[in-house]
Amino acid sequence: MATDGDRLALGIGDDAAVLAAAGPLVVSTDALIEGVHFRRAWTTPADLGRKALAVNLSDLAAMGARPLAALLALGVPPATPLADLKAFFLGLRAEGRAWNCPLVGGDLTRAPHWMATITVLGEPPARNRVFRRDGARPGDWLYLTGWPGRSGAAREGLERIQENLPPAAKASNSAFRTPHSAFKDVPPALIRAHHRPVPRLREAARLARLGIVRAAMDISDGLWEDAGKLAAASGVRLDLSRDALPVAPALKRFAAQQNRDPLDWILFGGEDYELLIASRRRLDLAREWPKGKGIAPLHPIGRVAKGHGVRLLDAAGNPIVVPDRTWSHF
Amino acid sequence: MATDGDRLALGIGDDAAVLAAAGPLVVSTDALIEGVHFRRAWTTPADLGRKALAVNLSDLAAMGARPLAALLALGVPPATPLADLKAFFLGLRAEGRAWNCPLVGGDLTRAPHWMATITVLGEPPARNRVFRRDGARPGDWLYLTGWPGRSGAAREGLERIQENLPPAAKASNSAFRTPHSAFKDVPPALIRAHHRPVPRLREAARLARLGIVRAAMDISDGLWEDAGKLAAASGVRLDLSRDALPVAPALKRFAAQQNRDPLDWILFGGEDYELLIASRRRLDLAREWPKGKGIAPLHPIGRVAKGHGVRLLDAAGNPIVVPDRTWSHF
């Protein structure tokens, strides 16, 4: 595994690793479980390795933290080909290198299904001002990174196709593979968003430097549900402007083709790993937010108000009734 | 969950926890997976919660580290009774309180089977001199804590009885229960050792104060296999004295009743969570090691020599042929 002399005093191979931390630590853990968070039928072990780390790094981004190191507990079925294990670790290492987050410890065990639990350790932003969920205040401005909804749309498409596959095709579930021709109705851009989420660490670092974050979280359970959590933690209401919610072009096309409203996935899709931010002031995005350069766009999507809960407002500022349907891992 | 104001700046409920660490950290992760590490048919959720943390704390003990905090990723089947979840968390909390190791973060998800992955963070002993595996030198004295073999004997007994149960009894596998009358051939003392391993943190702290540890590890994969790992890491040979290996009275009785040699489990049983130590000098145990007071005895079990591998010696110092059979989670 990748190691880092500056951070790591003793690496993999002993009972535990020793990490040369110097101050407060941000720590988080998240598991990806086969049959719940992914299926071997439409993912590759390399993508799984990347994603297992990426979803954890997203939690660090949501705190404004910088990654330091990761630990992995991996369970795999006894008959797992060595090539799958190798690909998983190569994917994990590639993701770790991209974000300067070496794997410093682990546990490999037999399991009935693939399961990868990762724990990440990070260091807080300057002056230990981590992004929390409970700091939003009435009058704050709401921002959202990137392109929500694509991952949820891909998952729903893949699941539906899988359900309709003939039994023979389903039987091959136990082998990893890239989504094959049967899944071609789901656009590759959406599948990529589902398999290769990008933790918004660069965006979080930039937001920390701007010093405007009053509250933040990632929207891994879907924008609607997670906005509700931020509202509850902060004791405020979030007003989202429907027309301001960003619709990725690929999602727009997929929704039109499926005769659906892209909002279904933008609000309820989940597994987006975008950041929702309450800012103390309105940003001059053209001046304050870089375009391109590997940084996701930042979209103004609403305001914080007195009250509780979340509202979706139309162009005239009137509330739209939102059916209460959320997708959850549980 | 239990929190600790001195250590924890921000607890469960945000995207991540913030831990007020001040120096190097010892970190480790370990998973308990249903069907691999335990069966619901003969454990309770409370014991599972305790053990999930205890086996991780054992890794800290093996490094001479003091626990700071733990993170949990828990997967449970959708139909899990709330009472089981509650019991699991109460067990985990009780174990955490016993060792001053609060749970600071977690992830709860649906899973096909119970799976509990815990990550522990600890602080190194004085002057950051963590116990490593690679420091043993020829001439060192080998010590072992406590009573190895009991856990492995219990597991083997429980597994064998389970295999011989009528199908109707097996079907109740999906409910937690204490080992019932069908398992009464396995002595309660052995079952307790299997379900409630005690991490040797007190012993590790005492060993750290004595300043005599050149190498240490826990023997969770069995004394024979783990002694081999320590020998390989240190580039030495370990000579174990057969007659010096501690045989717990309950294990002795069980072995006699089963017409077996207790060494089968002492050497190969696994899941013992005792510590194997290479000491730079011979200890005057009567003077230097406390009796009782919740501290496990320390047994002198052999010497470190030039060479490689592990040997088992009889009373005359002659090697005994040891069949190569190890039990492994993989």
mmCIF file of all heavy atoms in Angstrom, chain B residues 125-162:
data_model
loop_
_atom_site.group_PDB
_atom_site.id
_atom_site.type_symbol
_atom_site.label_atom_id
_atom_site.label_comp_id
_atom_site.label_asym_id
_atom_site.label_seq_id
_atom_site.Cartn_x
_atom_site.Cartn_y
_atom_site.Cartn_z
ATOM 1 N N PRO B 125 2.386 4.148 24.164
ATOM 2 C CA PRO B 125 2.937 4.224 25.519
ATOM 3 C C PRO B 125 3.982 5.344 25.588
ATOM 4 O O PRO B 125 4.281 5.987 24.587
ATOM 5 C CB PRO B 125 3.569 2.853 25.725
ATOM 6 C CG PRO B 125 3.792 2.295 24.366
ATOM 7 C CD PRO B 125 2.756 2.914 23.471
ATOM 8 N N ALA B 126 4.525 5.557 26.775
ATOM 9 C CA ALA B 126 5.478 6.644 27.007
ATOM 10 C C ALA B 126 6.586 6.644 25.957
ATOM 11 O O ALA B 126 7.026 5.594 25.492
ATOM 12 C CB ALA B 126 6.076 6.497 28.411
ATOM 13 N N ARG B 127 7.028 7.807 25.621
ATOM 14 C CA ARG B 127 8.090 8.026 24.624
ATOM 15 C C ARG B 127 7.781 7.322 23.295
ATOM 16 O O ARG B 127 8.701 6.959 22.553
ATOM 17 C CB ARG B 127 9.443 7.579 25.175
ATOM 18 C CG ARG B 127 10.000 8.588 26.207
ATOM 19 C CD ARG B 127 11.150 7.988 26.985
ATOM 20 N NE ARG B 127 10.715 6.872 27.803
ATOM 21 C CZ ARG B 127 11.411 5.773 28.023
ATOM 22 N NH1 ARG B 127 12.585 5.602 27.460
ATOM 23 N NH2 ARG B 127 10.941 4.827 28.801
ATOM 24 N N ASN B 128 6.476 7.156 23.015
ATOM 25 C CA ASN B 128 6.046 6.589 21.732
ATOM 26 C C ASN B 128 6.679 5.242 21.411
ATOM 27 O O ASN B 128 6.819 4.887 20.245
ATOM 28 C CB ASN B 128 6.344 7.561 20.588
ATOM 29 C CG ASN B 128 5.561 8.839 20.752
ATOM 30 O OD1 ASN B 128 4.454 8.824 21.298
ATOM 31 N ND2 ASN B 128 6.110 9.943 20.291
ATOM 32 N N ARG B 129 7.078 4.510 22.452
ATOM 33 C CA ARG B 129 7.715 3.223 22.185
ATOM 34 C C ARG B 129 6.667 2.144 22.073
ATOM 35 O O ARG B 129 6.472 1.345 22.996
ATOM 36 C CB ARG B 129 8.725 2.918 23.282
ATOM 37 C CG ARG B 129 9.812 4.004 23.319
ATOM 38 C CD ARG B 129 10.851 3.699 24.334
ATOM 39 N NE ARG B 129 11.648 2.555 23.911
ATOM 40 C CZ ARG B 129 12.860 2.309 24.403
ATOM 41 N NH1 ARG B 129 13.376 3.095 25.306
ATOM 42 N NH2 ARG B 129 13.532 1.266 23.988
ATOM 43 N N VAL B 130 5.983 2.105 20.936
ATOM 44 C CA VAL B 130 4.968 1.075 20.719
ATOM 45 C C VAL B 130 5.629 -0.289 20.650
ATOM 46 O O VAL B 130 6.794 -0.418 20.274
ATOM 47 C CB VAL B 130 4.165 1.320 19.411
ATOM 48 C CG1 VAL B 130 3.307 2.556 19.528
ATOM 49 C CG2 VAL B 130 5.067 1.388 18.203
ATOM 50 N N PHE B 131 4.862 -1.307 21.066
ATOM 51 C CA PHE B 131 5.325 -2.693 20.926
ATOM 52 C C PHE B 131 5.216 -3.065 19.450
ATOM 53 O O PHE B 131 4.157 -2.912 18.852
ATOM 54 C CB PHE B 131 4.449 -3.664 21.725
ATOM 55 C CG PHE B 131 4.320 -3.349 23.196
ATOM 56 C CD1 PHE B 131 3.361 -4.029 23.952
ATOM 57 C CD2 PHE B 131 5.128 -2.418 23.829
ATOM 58 C CE1 PHE B 131 3.226 -3.773 25.304
ATOM 59 C CE2 PHE B 131 4.989 -2.160 25.187
ATOM 60 C CZ PHE B 131 4.034 -2.834 25.925
ATOM 61 N N ARG B 132 6.267 -3.575 18.901
ATOM 62 C CA ARG B 132 6.240 -4.017 17.508
ATOM 63 C C ARG B 132 6.475 -5.520 17.444
ATOM 64 O O ARG B 132 6.765 -6.155 18.456
ATOM 65 C CB ARG B 132 7.322 -3.293 16.709
ATOM 66 C CG ARG B 132 7.233 -1.783 16.806
ATOM 67 C CD ARG B 132 8.486 -1.129 16.256
ATOM 68 N NE ARG B 132 8.740 -1.530 14.886
ATOM 69 C CZ ARG B 132 8.949 -0.666 13.890
ATOM 70 N NH1 ARG B 132 8.918 0.627 14.122
ATOM 71 N NH2 ARG B 132 9.200 -1.092 12.679
ATOM 72 N N ARG B 133 6.343 -6.064 16.230
ATOM 73 C CA ARG B 133 6.587 -7.500 16.088
ATOM 74 C C ARG B 133 8.036 -7.813 15.733
ATOM 75 O O ARG B 133 8.453 -8.968 15.829
ATOM 76 C CB ARG B 133 5.718 -8.065 14.961
ATOM 77 C CG ARG B 133 4.250 -7.997 15.253
ATOM 78 C CD ARG B 133 3.467 -8.577 14.097
ATOM 79 N NE ARG B 133 2.045 -8.539 14.409
ATOM 80 C CZ ARG B 133 1.085 -9.013 13.634
ATOM 81 N NH1 ARG B 133 1.408 -9.558 12.467
ATOM 82 N NH2 ARG B 133 -0.172 -8.946 13.996
ATOM 83 N N ASP B 134 8.753 -6.806 15.293
ATOM 84 C CA ASP B 134 10.042 -7.085 14.655
ATOM 85 C C ASP B 134 11.245 -6.827 15.556
ATOM 86 O O ASP B 134 12.364 -6.759 15.077
ATOM 87 C CB ASP B 134 10.162 -6.279 13.358
ATOM 88 C CG ASP B 134 10.039 -4.769 13.595
ATOM 89 O OD1 ASP B 134 9.932 -4.354 14.765
ATOM 90 O OD2 ASP B 134 10.044 -4.021 12.607
ATOM 91 N N GLY B 135 11.009 -6.716 16.875
ATOM 92 C CA GLY B 135 12.134 -6.335 17.737
ATOM 93 C C GLY B 135 12.756 -7.466 18.546
ATOM 94 O O GLY B 135 13.707 -7.240 19.295
ATOM 95 N N ALA B 136 12.242 -8.700 18.411
ATOM 96 C CA ALA B 136 12.788 -9.801 19.231
ATOM 97 C C ALA B 136 14.222 -10.124 18.825
ATOM 98 O O ALA B 136 14.557 -10.091 17.640
ATOM 99 C CB ALA B 136 11.900 -11.040 19.089
ATOM 100 N N ARG B 137 15.074 -10.431 19.835
ATOM 101 C CA ARG B 137 16.483 -10.733 19.572
ATOM 102 C C ARG B 137 16.852 -12.047 20.256
ATOM 103 O O ARG B 137 16.303 -12.371 21.313
ATOM 104 C CB ARG B 137 17.375 -9.608 20.107
ATOM 105 C CG ARG B 137 17.181 -8.252 19.419
ATOM 106 C CD ARG B 137 17.663 -8.311 17.963
ATOM 107 N NE ARG B 137 17.263 -7.119 17.212
ATOM 108 C CZ ARG B 137 16.206 -7.055 16.386
ATOM 109 N NH1 ARG B 137 15.450 -8.117 16.193
ATOM 110 N NH2 ARG B 137 15.931 -5.951 15.742
ATOM 111 N N PRO B 138 17.770 -12.794 19.663
ATOM 112 C CA PRO B 138 18.203 -14.049 20.293
ATOM 113 C C PRO B 138 18.594 -13.800 21.744
ATOM 114 O O PRO B 138 19.271 -12.813 22.051
ATOM 115 C CB PRO B 138 19.417 -14.468 19.448
ATOM 116 C CG PRO B 138 19.160 -13.865 18.101
ATOM 117 C CD PRO B 138 18.479 -12.547 18.382
ATOM 118 N N GLY B 139 18.145 -14.690 22.619
ATOM 119 C CA GLY B 139 18.410 -14.524 24.042
ATOM 120 C C GLY B 139 17.232 -13.930 24.803
ATOM 121 O O GLY B 139 17.163 -14.055 26.027
ATOM 122 N N ASP B 140 16.296 -13.274 24.063
ATOM 123 C CA ASP B 140 15.116 -12.717 24.741
ATOM 124 C C ASP B 140 14.303 -13.833 25.397
ATOM 125 O O ASP B 140 14.370 -14.996 24.995
ATOM 126 C CB ASP B 140 14.213 -11.979 23.733
ATOM 127 C CG ASP B 140 14.774 -10.613 23.334
ATOM 128 O OD1 ASP B 140 15.776 -10.174 23.936
ATOM 129 O OD2 ASP B 140 14.201 -10.004 22.417
ATOM 130 N N TRP B 141 13.507 -13.432 26.391
ATOM 131 C CA TRP B 141 12.644 -14.368 27.118
ATOM 132 C C TRP B 141 11.208 -14.201 26.647
ATOM 133 O O TRP B 141 10.725 -13.074 26.512
ATOM 134 C CB TRP B 141 12.746 -14.099 28.622
ATOM 135 C CG TRP B 141 14.144 -14.247 29.114
ATOM 136 C CD1 TRP B 141 15.168 -13.353 28.965
ATOM 137 C CD2 TRP B 141 14.688 -15.378 29.790
ATOM 138 N NE1 TRP B 141 16.323 -13.850 29.516
ATOM 139 C CE2 TRP B 141 16.065 -15.090 30.037
ATOM 140 C CE3 TRP B 141 14.166 -16.612 30.214
ATOM 141 C CZ2 TRP B 141 16.902 -16.002 30.687
ATOM 142 C CZ3 TRP B 141 15.003 -17.492 30.870
ATOM 143 C CH2 TRP B 141 16.360 -17.192 31.097
ATOM 144 N N LEU B 142 10.549 -15.328 26.398
ATOM 145 C CA LEU B 142 9.175 -15.279 25.891
ATOM 146 C C LEU B 142 8.168 -15.409 27.033
ATOM 147 O O LEU B 142 8.312 -16.277 27.898
ATOM 148 C CB LEU B 142 8.927 -16.405 24.881
ATOM 149 C CG LEU B 142 9.696 -16.288 23.568
ATOM 150 C CD1 LEU B 142 9.485 -17.552 22.724
ATOM 151 C CD2 LEU B 142 9.245 -15.044 22.789
ATOM 152 N N TYR B 143 7.165 -14.554 26.994
ATOM 153 C CA TYR B 143 6.086 -14.598 27.983
ATOM 154 C C TYR B 143 4.743 -14.604 27.271
ATOM 155 O O TYR B 143 4.612 -14.097 26.156
ATOM 156 C CB TYR B 143 6.173 -13.392 28.927
ATOM 157 C CG TYR B 143 7.356 -13.466 29.853
ATOM 158 C CD1 TYR B 143 8.573 -12.884 29.502
ATOM 159 C CD2 TYR B 143 7.255 -14.147 31.062
ATOM 160 C CE1 TYR B 143 9.673 -12.974 30.354
ATOM 161 C CE2 TYR B 143 8.348 -14.240 31.913
ATOM 162 C CZ TYR B 143 9.549 -13.653 31.549
ATOM 163 O OH TYR B 143 10.617 -13.761 32.391
ATOM 164 N N LEU B 144 3.769 -15.177 27.952
ATOM 165 C CA LEU B 144 2.413 -15.226 27.408
ATOM 166 C C LEU B 144 1.443 -14.881 28.533
ATOM 167 O O LEU B 144 1.584 -15.386 29.653
ATOM 168 C CB LEU B 144 2.121 -16.643 26.882
ATOM 169 C CG LEU B 144 0.809 -16.861 26.127
ATOM 170 C CD1 LEU B 144 0.812 -16.108 24.794
ATOM 171 C CD2 LEU B 144 0.595 -18.355 25.867
ATOM 172 N N THR B 145 0.462 -14.032 28.235
ATOM 173 C CA THR B 145 -0.547 -13.699 29.246
ATOM 174 C C THR B 145 -1.646 -14.761 29.268
ATOM 175 O O THR B 145 -1.919 -15.414 28.259
ATOM 176 C CB THR B 145 -1.231 -12.347 28.941
ATOM 177 O OG1 THR B 145 -1.922 -12.458 27.702
ATOM 178 C CG2 THR B 145 -0.225 -11.205 28.871
ATOM 179 N N GLY B 146 -2.273 -14.899 30.412
ATOM 180 C CA GLY B 146 -3.553 -15.581 30.544
ATOM 181 C C GLY B 146 -3.608 -17.039 30.152
ATOM 182 O O GLY B 146 -2.674 -17.804 30.383
ATOM 183 N N TRP B 147 -4.722 -17.414 29.514
ATOM 184 C CA TRP B 147 -5.066 -18.814 29.331
ATOM 185 C C TRP B 147 -5.492 -19.100 27.904
ATOM 186 O O TRP B 147 -6.678 -19.138 27.601
ATOM 187 C CB TRP B 147 -6.190 -19.183 30.311
ATOM 188 C CG TRP B 147 -5.822 -18.871 31.725
ATOM 189 C CD1 TRP B 147 -6.250 -17.809 32.472
ATOM 190 C CD2 TRP B 147 -4.914 -19.614 32.550
ATOM 191 N NE1 TRP B 147 -5.665 -17.845 33.710
ATOM 192 C CE2 TRP B 147 -4.844 -18.947 33.800
ATOM 193 C CE3 TRP B 147 -4.155 -20.775 32.362
ATOM 194 C CZ2 TRP B 147 -4.039 -19.401 34.844
ATOM 195 C CZ3 TRP B 147 -3.365 -21.227 33.408
ATOM 196 C CH2 TRP B 147 -3.317 -20.542 34.630
ATOM 197 N N PRO B 148 -4.540 -19.361 27.026
ATOM 198 C CA PRO B 148 -4.886 -19.608 25.624
ATOM 199 C C PRO B 148 -5.598 -20.942 25.431
ATOM 200 O O PRO B 148 -5.491 -21.828 26.281
ATOM 201 C CB PRO B 148 -3.524 -19.628 24.929
ATOM 202 C CG PRO B 148 -2.576 -20.090 25.992
ATOM 203 C CD PRO B 148 -3.094 -19.468 27.274
ATOM 204 N N GLY B 149 -6.329 -21.071 24.314
ATOM 205 C CA GLY B 149 -6.932 -22.344 23.937
ATOM 206 C C GLY B 149 -8.396 -22.482 24.299
ATOM 207 O O GLY B 149 -9.114 -23.260 23.675
ATOM 208 N N ARG B 150 -8.832 -21.707 25.315
ATOM 209 C CA ARG B 150 -10.220 -21.878 25.758
ATOM 210 C C ARG B 150 -11.212 -21.465 24.679
ATOM 211 O O ARG B 150 -12.212 -22.139 24.423
ATOM 212 C CB ARG B 150 -10.472 -21.061 27.027
ATOM 213 C CG ARG B 150 -9.645 -21.531 28.211
ATOM 214 C CD ARG B 150 -9.874 -20.650 29.421
ATOM 215 N NE ARG B 150 -9.582 -19.253 29.109
ATOM 216 C CZ ARG B 150 -9.861 -18.221 29.900
ATOM 217 N NH1 ARG B 150 -10.467 -18.434 31.060
ATOM 218 N NH2 ARG B 150 -9.547 -16.995 29.547
ATOM 219 N N SER B 151 -10.927 -20.333 24.026
ATOM 220 C CA SER B 151 -11.852 -19.821 23.016
ATOM 221 C C SER B 151 -11.973 -20.780 21.834
ATOM 222 O O SER B 151 -13.067 -21.083 21.364
ATOM 223 C CB SER B 151 -11.368 -18.443 22.552
ATOM 224 O OG SER B 151 -12.156 -17.976 21.499
ATOM 225 N N GLY B 152 -10.835 -21.269 21.373
ATOM 226 C CA GLY B 152 -10.848 -22.183 20.229
ATOM 227 C C GLY B 152 -11.553 -23.489 20.553
ATOM 228 O O GLY B 152 -12.269 -24.052 19.723
ATOM 229 N N ALA B 153 -11.351 -23.982 21.776
ATOM 230 C CA ALA B 153 -12.019 -25.219 22.196
ATOM 231 C C ALA B 153 -13.529 -25.017 22.216
ATOM 232 O O ALA B 153 -14.299 -25.873 21.754
ATOM 233 C CB ALA B 153 -11.517 -25.650 23.568
ATOM 234 N N ALA B 154 -13.961 -23.858 22.735
ATOM 235 C CA ALA B 154 -15.397 -23.570 22.778
ATOM 236 C C ALA B 154 -15.962 -23.505 21.363
ATOM 237 O O ALA B 154 -17.004 -24.091 21.068
ATOM 238 C CB ALA B 154 -15.647 -22.251 23.509
ATOM 239 N N ARG B 155 -15.270 -22.796 20.488
ATOM 240 C CA ARG B 155 -15.775 -22.647 19.126
ATOM 241 C C ARG B 155 -15.894 -24.006 18.445
ATOM 242 O O ARG B 155 -16.899 -24.310 17.811
ATOM 243 C CB ARG B 155 -14.862 -21.730 18.306
ATOM 244 C CG ARG B 155 -15.495 -21.269 16.994
ATOM 245 C CD ARG B 155 -14.467 -20.659 16.055
ATOM 246 N NE ARG B 155 -13.404 -21.589 15.788
ATOM 247 C CZ ARG B 155 -12.153 -21.463 16.202
ATOM 248 N NH1 ARG B 155 -11.792 -20.408 16.897
ATOM 249 N NH2 ARG B 155 -11.268 -22.391 15.933
ATOM 250 N N GLU B 156 -14.859 -24.831 18.606
ATOM 251 C CA GLU B 156 -14.904 -26.147 17.976
ATOM 252 C C GLU B 156 -16.052 -26.975 18.529
ATOM 253 O O GLU B 156 -16.778 -27.638 17.784
ATOM 254 C CB GLU B 156 -13.564 -26.866 18.182
ATOM 255 C CG GLU B 156 -13.477 -28.143 17.370
ATOM 256 C CD GLU B 156 -12.185 -28.908 17.647
ATOM 257 O OE1 GLU B 156 -11.118 -28.275 17.656
ATOM 258 O OE2 GLU B 156 -12.277 -30.136 17.852
ATOM 259 N N GLY B 157 -16.227 -26.921 19.840
ATOM 260 C CA GLY B 157 -17.327 -27.669 20.461
ATOM 261 C C GLY B 157 -18.682 -27.193 19.967
ATOM 262 O O GLY B 157 -19.543 -27.995 19.606
ATOM 263 N N LEU B 158 -18.863 -25.886 19.928
ATOM 264 C CA LEU B 158 -20.143 -25.328 19.489
ATOM 265 C C LEU B 158 -20.418 -25.677 18.025
ATOM 266 O O LEU B 158 -21.532 -26.070 17.663
ATOM 267 C CB LEU B 158 -20.131 -23.800 19.674
ATOM 268 C CG LEU B 158 -20.119 -23.293 21.133
ATOM 269 C CD1 LEU B 158 -19.802 -21.793 21.179
ATOM 270 C CD2 LEU B 158 -21.451 -23.577 21.819
ATOM 271 N N GLU B 159 -19.391 -25.544 17.192
ATOM 272 C CA GLU B 159 -19.562 -25.844 15.762
ATOM 273 C C GLU B 159 -19.965 -27.310 15.557
ATOM 274 O O GLU B 159 -20.843 -27.628 14.759
ATOM 275 C CB GLU B 159 -18.256 -25.581 14.986
ATOM 276 C CG GLU B 159 -17.851 -24.125 14.864
ATOM 277 C CD GLU B 159 -18.573 -23.391 13.742
ATOM 278 O OE1 GLU B 159 -19.397 -24.021 13.054
ATOM 279 O OE2 GLU B 159 -18.324 -22.182 13.591
ATOM 280 N N ARG B 160 -19.280 -28.204 16.300
ATOM 281 C CA ARG B 160 -19.536 -29.630 16.098
ATOM 282 C C ARG B 160 -20.950 -29.991 16.539
ATOM 283 O O ARG B 160 -21.659 -30.738 15.867
ATOM 284 C CB ARG B 160 -18.503 -30.472 16.854
ATOM 285 C CG ARG B 160 -18.426 -31.901 16.359
ATOM 286 C CD ARG B 160 -17.400 -32.708 17.145
ATOM 287 N NE ARG B 160 -17.600 -32.559 18.566
ATOM 288 C CZ ARG B 160 -16.679 -32.094 19.417
ATOM 289 N NH1 ARG B 160 -15.485 -31.752 18.965
ATOM 290 N NH2 ARG B 160 -16.939 -31.978 20.700
ATOM 291 N N ILE B 161 -21.366 -29.436 17.657
ATOM 292 C CA ILE B 161 -22.719 -29.715 18.133
ATOM 293 C C ILE B 161 -23.744 -29.159 17.142
ATOM 294 O O ILE B 161 -24.718 -29.820 16.787
ATOM 295 C CB ILE B 161 -22.925 -29.109 19.540
ATOM 296 C CG1 ILE B 161 -22.061 -29.870 20.555
ATOM 297 C CG2 ILE B 161 -24.395 -29.159 19.931
ATOM 298 C CD1 ILE B 161 -21.880 -29.153 21.870
ATOM 299 N N GLN B 162 -23.475 -27.925 16.655
ATOM 300 C CA GLN B 162 -24.392 -27.292 15.704
ATOM 301 C C GLN B 162 -24.583 -28.161 14.459
ATOM 302 O O GLN B 162 -25.688 -28.341 13.969
ATOM 303 C CB GLN B 162 -23.836 -25.918 15.301
ATOM 304 C CG GLN B 162 -24.584 -25.210 14.176
ATOM 305 C CD GLN B 162 -25.916 -24.649 14.629
ATOM 306 O OE1 GLN B 162 -26.250 -24.701 15.803
ATOM 307 N NE2 GLN B 162 -26.682 -24.145 13.687
#
